[in-house]
Amino acid sequence: MANLTLLFLTLTLCVASTVQRQLVLEDINGKQNLEKDLNIVHYQPEQVHLAFGESVLDIVVTWNTRDNTNESLCEYGIDSITEQSAKAAQGPTAFVDGGAQKATQYIHRVTLPKLQANTTYRYHCGSQLGWSAIYWFHTALNHSNWSPSLAIYGDMGVVNAASLPALQRETQLGMYDAILHVGDFAYDMCNENGEVGDEFMRQVETIAAYVPYMVCVGNHEEKYNFSHYVNRFSMPGGTDNLFYSFNLGPVHFIGFSTEVYYFTQYGIKPIVMQYDWLERDLIEATKPENRAQRPWIITYGHRPMYCSNDNGDDCANHETVVRKGLPGLNFFGLEPLFYKYGVDVELWAHEHCYERMWPMYNYTVYNGSLTEPYVNPGAPVHIISGAAGNHEGREPFFKEMPPWSAFHSQDFGYLRLKAHNASHLYFEQVSDDKGGVIIDSFWVIKEQHGPYTP
């Protein structure tokens, strides 16, 4: 009798297990069939971000959708978002990731032209198939007699984005007129068939949907010939976002690519084109009438000319390719070019640290004076702020620091710039490790701007 009972229980369990497996298979098949039947689409805008257009009063709104909406619209206004609307003439453009899945998404770009200066606008973007949340931004003044504030950093990823919470809060409190992200995004935007890039852009939407998010390319964007960088961002000038300039207050900003010097498998032509463009831009910016209006020239590129990091990077070596030009030829080096046209400040990232240098050229310090090194300095001031947070960790420094290094820190953090007027710039480095404490601050003061005298 006991054996019959055991046999009955075993048969019952087997039948139950078979039925359970069948139900699970039916559930999976049902979901798959449901998705096919519903033909699920993704028309909702995401990854919204802003940039300056050809003028600081032209704002470019960029966003993504998973599926093609066939139109790109932005509604905006001062009192109501329905006061004005703008539409992209060509609609969205398809962007196909270079990974195995060839994942496709649609990039939307709409320019809001000729906005009123010093005015807060509310906006949302999308199409008749779906709209974003409502965001706001405050426009700049289109002249030099005001004092813009910027946050500056590089090397911020999805994992360990140390500076992101503070930047989100400060941006939405209206502390900044623009953001400079000096290369290396997400780590890496192309990973997981582009899904890491999507997640990064969703995270920085909480900054970039409220203030122009101006960028330059870093080494981590190289995959598929920088296609994620080129397609996801919208910078002025129509040069695939690799080099461009804009004016903000008393400053002429120049963003450029250091990566053309390192990824030469894409050809030498990008180096030549960029160098020629840089010189033309500097010639224009240093015309007496233009420099009188915007005396400060600030450049930003990813890989620095100088650094004190003990990690094998070429900025710790004597002959940096960005500084000196192509190896063996010394063609297209940027240090002599920037010195010739009197660039005031050069901003860098790449090294996961903060480092401020004394004014220097060709490894020689040109302080204004012993007691006031940044008052009328005789060479550009180099600053590295590449510590916004990433999974690769912090950078070590040499045990014996070089004489041209004025201050250095391994703390995660970001740089602030206040361009007070034609003669005074103020910088401060914020430490995320120390809860927002200012770990370094200094003024650059110039009574006159122009080419340096050797």
Side-chain angles (χ1 to χ4, degrees):
M1 187 67 180
N3 289 336
L4 287 173
T5 302
L6 181 62
L7 179 62
F8 176 76
L9 290 171
T10 302
L11 289 171
T12 301
L13 289 171
C14 287
V15 170
S17 178
T18 301
V19 170
Q20 188 177 29
R21 285 198 300 271
Q22 184 64 34
L23 289 172
V24 170
L25 289 172
E26 288 177 0
D27 186 49
I28 292 173
N29 291 331
K31 287 180 179 177
Q32 291 174 343
N33 291 332
L34 180 64
E35 289 187 358
K36 289 180 181 178
D37 292 341
L38 291 178
N39 191 26
I40 292 174
V41 290
H42 301 271
Y43 293 140
Q44 296 304 310
E46 61 174 47
Q47 308 173 41
V48 180
H49 54 287
L50 306 177
F52 292 123
E54 299 311 306
S55 157
V56 293
L57 296 182
D58 298 331
I59 294 294
V60 181
V61 186
T62 305
W63 70 94
N64 296 23
T65 55
R66 283 289 157 192
D67 288 298
N68 189 3
T69 63
N70 293 312
E71 63 177 357
S72 306
L73 302 172
C74 189
E75 295 180 332
Y76 63 102
I78 299 170
D79 298 315
S80 167
I81 60 171
T82 58
E83 291 174 3
Q84 299 181 72
S85 66
K87 182 177 181 179
Q90 304 301 322
T93 56
F95 167 49
V96 181
D97 171 66
Q101 292 183 9
K102 304 301 177 188
T104 300
Q105 57 184 292
Y106 291 84
I107 311 293
H108 304 253
R109 292 179 172 88
V110 172
T111 299
L112 313 185
K114 299 179 180 178
L115 301 172
Q116 294 182 31
N118 196 28
T119 302
T120 298
Y121 285 85
R122 299 167 69 234
Y123 74 99
H124 70 171
C125 55
S127 70
Q128 300 306 326
L129 297 173
W131 293 93
S132 72
I134 296 174
Y135 301 101
W136 57 263
F137 61 87
H138 192 84
T139 54
L141 282 77
N142 198 23
H143 58 76
S144 60
N145 191 25
W146 68 288
S147 305
S149 297
L150 297 92
I152 301 158
Y153 53 85
D155 303 76
M156 187 167 73
V158 168
V159 177
N160 187 34
S163 296
L164 185 61
L167 290 165
Q168 290 168 329
R169 179 177 181 274
E170 292 171 356
T171 298
Q172 294 183 29
L173 286 173
M175 286 180 58
Y176 304 117
D177 299 293
I179 302 286
L180 302 184
H181 188 144
V182 190
D184 280 5
F185 311 83
Y187 288 79
D188 290 348
M189 298 182 99
C190 63
N191 287 357
E192 304 298 329
N193 297 288
E195 291 181 13
V196 172
D198 294 334
E199 178 59 26
F200 175 81
M201 296 304 295
R202 284 191 287 266
Q203 289 184 12
V204 298
E205 181 181 76
T206 52
I207 302 171
Y210 298 93
V211 65
Y213 202 81
M214 310 305 287
V215 298
C216 70
V217 71
N219 56 296
H220 278 270
E221 285 70 70
E222 178 270 334
K223 200 70 176 290
Y224 314 129
N225 195 8
F226 304 99
S227 65
H228 277 267
Y229 173 85
V230 167
N231 283 276
R232 290 180 183 271
F233 295 108
S234 307
M235 296 295 107
T239 54
D240 288 339
N241 304 324
L242 294 180
F243 45 90
Y244 61 93
S245 63
F246 65 96
N247 296 318
L248 194 64
V251 183
H252 180 69
F253 287 98
I254 302 174
F256 66 97
S257 170
T258 58
E259 303 316 296
V260 294
Y261 290 89
Y262 294 89
F263 296 105
T264 53
Q265 66 267 36
Y266 300 119
I268 303 299
K269 187 176 180 181
I271 300 175
V272 180
M273 288 178 61
Q274 176 174 266
Y275 186 91
D276 288 346
W277 178 88
L278 281 169
E279 183 153 38
R280 290 196 307 272
D281 189 82
L282 286 166
I283 288 171
E284 184 67 22
T286 53
K287 287 181 178 178
E289 62 273 23
N290 291 332
R291 197 131 201 194
Q293 285 292 310
R294 291 183 171 84
W296 296 102
I297 298 178
I298 297 178
T299 65
Y300 54 101
H302 184 61
R303 300 199 207 200
M305 294 184 187
Y306 301 96
C307 70
S308 303
N309 300 99
D310 192 9
N311 58 8
D313 283 354
D314 73 341
C315 58
N317 299 324
H318 192 70
E319 301 297 347
T320 307
V321 63
V322 173
R323 186 176 73 85
K324 296 293 288 184
L326 295 175
L329 300 173
N330 289 346
F331 288 166
F332 311 114
L334 296 183
E335 186 176 42
L337 183 70
F338 291 171
Y339 185 82
K340 176 181 177 181
Y341 291 100
V343 169
D344 300 290
V345 177
E346 301 180 27
L347 302 170
W348 312 96
H350 189 61
E351 307 302 319
H352 301 160
C353 65
Y354 168 72
E355 186 170 12
R356 164 173 56 90
M357 286 75 160
W358 301 120
M360 63 186 299
Y361 174 70
N362 196 24
Y363 284 93
T364 303
V365 172
Y366 289 93
N367 288 345
S369 67
L370 187 63
T371 56
E372 296 181 310
Y374 298 108
V375 176
N376 297 318
V381 177
H382 294 252
I383 308 168
I384 297 171
S385 189
N390 62 87
H391 70 272
E392 292 182 343
R394 308 169 195 268
E395 297 284 12
F397 289 97
F398 289 124
K399 291 180 180 179
E400 191 171 322
M401 297 296 288
W404 39 262
S405 180
F407 183 92
H408 64 282
S409 172
Q410 287 185 311
D411 286 8
F412 288 121
Y414 54 99
L415 185 68
R416 292 178 184 145
L417 162 62
K418 180 77 169 179
H420 280 269
N421 50 43
S423 58
H424 287 67
L425 298 180
Y426 174 73
F427 292 94
E428 59 185 23
Q429 177 73 8
V430 181
S431 169
D432 296 311
D433 293 357
K434 295 180 174 62
V437 169
I438 308 301
I439 58 171
D440 185 42
S441 63
F442 67 105
W443 291 85
V444 180
I445 300 172
K446 278 193 169 182
E447 296 166 358
Q448 292 184 331
H449 300 262
Y452 299 104
T453 303

